[in-house]
Amino acid sequence: MNTSTTTVKAPLEIAPPARKARVANPGWFLVSPSVALLLLWMIVPLGMTVYFSMIRYNLLYPGENQFVGLENFTYFLTDSGFMPGATNTLLLVGSVLLISIVLGVLISALLEASEFFGRGIVRVLLISPFFIMPTVGALIWKNLIFHPVSGILASVWKLFGAQPVDWLAHYPLLSIIIIVSWQWLPFAILILMTAMQSLDQEQKEAARLDGAGPIAIFWHLTLPHLARPIAVVLMIETIFLLSVFAEIFTTTNGGPGYASTNLAYLIYNQALVQFDVGMASAGGLIAVVIANIAAIILVRMIGKNLTDKN
């Protein structure tokens, strides 16, 4: 009895000094300046955005800044461009994610399975569009590919005797999806191709010895191995695709009408075209809420995926 009593009490006597040691640890004091600077960096712009969203702040009427409460949020949500902007945002994000993941997996698997001269150069060329600035990439597609007179597609159409298509005028959202997919597909290829190189080759050899074909190996070995990288690509691309702006501004200006307007461009239009900073601030907060909801869902999906794999 005495021995068991001593064994039970020992941790209780050691715990308070351990807690005191953690409190006395100077680590929290050393990191507090950077944490405070980071909080200040985030809180000040967010606080100003909340403040502007609660007042009537129009640059054309600088003296009229009365408090309006949630009126700006109501106006933004009932604006004629909100539903088209939200729908276009969902279509843009979903389409680019689907194209990036499907083509990224297929291209990465093809490169990993093929042995040919210059494969390293092909890999570099496939990844290079990701390092081009969005504005430059949009200008390339607008003037060199989609242009109805001097573009590459117009020349191909004329070669077969067909009438060239003005892509940015007739298919604006599809054109934006193609441009953004071209920019983000290399990112998916980079992540997935790196992940494929870490796949255990002994498992593939064992599967081949058991009679498994290339499709069976890809379906039962490669795809399960790519579950985590696909989840990472899904999360990172979603966060960035929700704020696509430069491609739309450079090519279609959100038109015709609201055909290619997303939430980011709609907020820009409210702030710097209509000069309504209050409504634009309200729209920015709504966009932040939507982005955080998407991030939370994706983080939970990735966390569940990692837990299931472990």
Side-chain angles (χ1 to χ4, degrees), residues 48-153:
M48 293 181 64
T49 304
V50 173
Y51 169 72
F52 287 128
S53 68
M54 296 292 182
I55 64 174
R56 182 175 289 112
Y57 190 78
N58 194 304
L59 297 179
L60 298 178
Y61 308 98
E64 301 179 6
N65 299 332
Q66 62 268 31
F67 178 80
V68 294
L70 300 179
E71 184 178 300
N72 287 322
F73 294 91
T74 304
Y75 284 156
F76 186 82
L77 291 174
T78 56
D79 185 80
S80 58
F82 175 74
M83 286 306 298
T87 303
N88 292 336
T89 300
L90 293 177
L91 289 175
L92 175 63
V93 173
S95 301
V96 175
L97 286 177
L98 182 63
I99 294 172
S100 298
I101 292 175
V102 173
L103 292 184
V105 170
L106 294 178
I107 294 174
S108 301
L110 182 63
L111 282 176
E112 187 64 22
S114 303
E115 290 287 347
F116 57 90
F117 177 76
R119 187 170 67 166
I121 299 177
V122 172
R123 288 177 175 174
V124 173
L125 292 176
L126 285 173
I127 297 172
S128 59
F130 182 66
F131 301 101
I132 298 176
M133 290 182 292
T135 306
V136 176
L139 286 174
I140 291 174
W141 279 87
K142 178 181 179 180
N143 297 317
L144 298 182
I145 300 177
F146 285 151
H147 198 280
V149 177
S150 58
I152 296 176
L153 293 180

